[in-house]
Structure formats: C-alpha cells, structure tokens
Amino acid sequence: MMLKRLLILTTVSLLTVVVATSAVACTGKKVVIGRTATLQQELLARVVMELIDKRTGTAVNEVIFDTPEAAHAALLKGEVDLGLEYTGVIGASLLSQAPTADADALYALVRKSYSADLNLMAIRPLGFENRTLAPAGSANQAVVILRKETWKKFPALDRLLEKLSGKISDQTMQEMEAKAAAGDVPKVANEFLRANKLY
C-alpha cells in the first residue's frame, strides 16, 4: 500500500514538472511584423500574422511605420522580426542598382545582397507586383523579409512563409484590396488562407 502511494505521488510530481516546463516553453513566443499604413501592407501583414498564428500558435504583433524607409530601419535594428518590401524599391533605393525588368534576376540580387550584407532573408516573392511604387523600368515584386536572428529562434518560419510564395497574383491582390476596402481586413485575410488551404 505504501509502495502504491509512493508511485502515485511520484507520477503526479513528474506530471506537474512536465506541465510546468511546457507552459514555460510556450510563454514569451512572439514575432513582430513591421508595415506601412497602406491597405495593401495591412492586408499582407494580416495574411502573414494569421498564417503564423494558426499554424504555429505563436503570437504576432504589428508595428505601423510612416514610411518604407522607417520600416526597413526598424528591421535592421531588430525592432521588428519581419518586414514587407518590394524588390524594385529595394534595388533602387537600398542597393543603388539600375532598374531592371528581369524579375527573377532582381529577386536573386536582393536575396543575395540582403543575406550577405544585412543578415536578412528575402522569402520568395508573393506573386504580384506593386506598380504604383515601382521605379521606372523595374520589376517590383512583393516579398516578405525575415531577420536571420528571428529565423534562428524559429527555424521553420522561412518554410512556413514560403507557402505564400506565388500565391497572390495581381488579380488576387486587387480583389482582396477591393473586399478589404469595403469590409473587414482580418476576414479577407482568413478567406484567402482558407481558399488556398494554408490552414
């Protein structure tokens, strides 16, 4: 009888330790995404936020900046973990490259330069171009940018974000923006994710 009681107490104690350890491991997991105040960036940020939250349970907060330059600076300083940028703008404004209409070559250049010089990861393009912001004569694909320091803490995050690559065509983006302008941004983002079987 004494042995049975001891076994029960030991089992309960072990379970308590396991539960407590699990709780500690899950607390404090948070990712921060930076964006500008445009509807397009709000939508893209919400898509990324919902994807990460639904697939990993990691909380995602957003910080809104007045300009793309301010958002990029925050990314470099580590004030945010993720950013939303455009390859043409990166090439012209940040890398001082001549405009190019070759979207694949431009993305390859951005990816290589960001990785080697800025410790950033440029996830494969989402699938559409922002022609409003595009430098003359340049492709301008939307990309998610991830800090390598964040990736080290969340090593599967790049693969998760890659699931969005090529999924948002010009037409899809226009349709999403039209719906979001007339309604609920989180709802539009979730409809997109469900339609693409992303959660």
Side-chain angles (χ1 to χ4, degrees):
M1 188 69 176
M2 194 70 173
L3 181 61
K4 188 176 179 183
R5 223 179 259 167
L6 186 59
L7 281 172
I8 291 170
L9 283 172
T10 304
T11 304
V12 170
S13 298
L14 283 171
L15 284 172
T16 303
V17 169
V18 169
V19 170
T21 304
S22 300
V24 170
C26 294
T27 55
K29 283 196 171 185
K30 183 176 69 175
V31 172
V32 181
I33 186 167
R35 68 169 177 89
T36 57
T38 66
L39 179 60
Q40 186 175 103
Q41 290 250 319
E42 182 181 2
L43 257 173
L44 292 177
R46 181 54 59 178
V47 166
V48 170
M49 292 166 73
E50 294 291 341
L51 177 67
I52 294 172
D53 177 55
K54 296 288 195 300
R55 294 292 291 268
T56 71
T58 301
V60 187
N61 293 341
E62 64 178 346
V63 179
I64 305 168
F65 297 92
D66 293 332
T67 65
E69 292 78 13
H72 180 73
L75 194 59
L76 291 178
K77 292 176 193 170
E79 295 170 356
V80 298
D81 301 293
L82 294 161
L84 301 165
E85 297 186 1
Y86 304 92
T87 55
V89 173
I90 294 169
S93 302
L94 302 173
L95 304 180
S96 301
Q97 295 293 318
T100 175
D102 187 333
D104 291 339
L106 180 57
Y107 167 68
L109 173 69
V110 167
R111 185 182 179 99
K112 182 179 178 182
S113 297
Y114 265 30
S115 179
D117 303 328
L118 302 178
N119 213 32
L120 300 174
M121 301 169 70
I123 305 302
R124 284 188 300 117
L126 296 171
F128 75 95
E129 288 192 34
N130 184 317
R131 291 177 176 82
T132 304
L133 295 176
S138 189
N140 201 36
Q141 299 182 98
V143 288
V144 179
I145 306 298
L146 171 64
R147 281 179 55 80
K148 285 187 181 179
E149 289 302 315
T150 302
W151 173 67
K152 288 174 185 174
K153 296 175 192 171
F154 302 91
L157 193 52
D158 60 329
R159 293 195 299 277
L160 178 60
L161 294 170
E162 289 272 355
K163 293 182 182 298
L164 295 173
S165 298
K167 291 287 197 304
I168 308 178
S169 65
D170 289 344
Q171 182 179 344
T172 300
M173 191 71 244
Q174 289 167 8
E175 290 171 356
M176 288 172 67
E177 285 181 296
K179 287 179 186 175
D184 185 346
V185 169
K187 181 182 177 184
V188 175
N190 278 294
E191 284 175 353
F192 165 79
L193 291 169
R194 280 196 297 270
N196 285 276
K197 297 181 170 56
L198 291 170
Y199 73 75

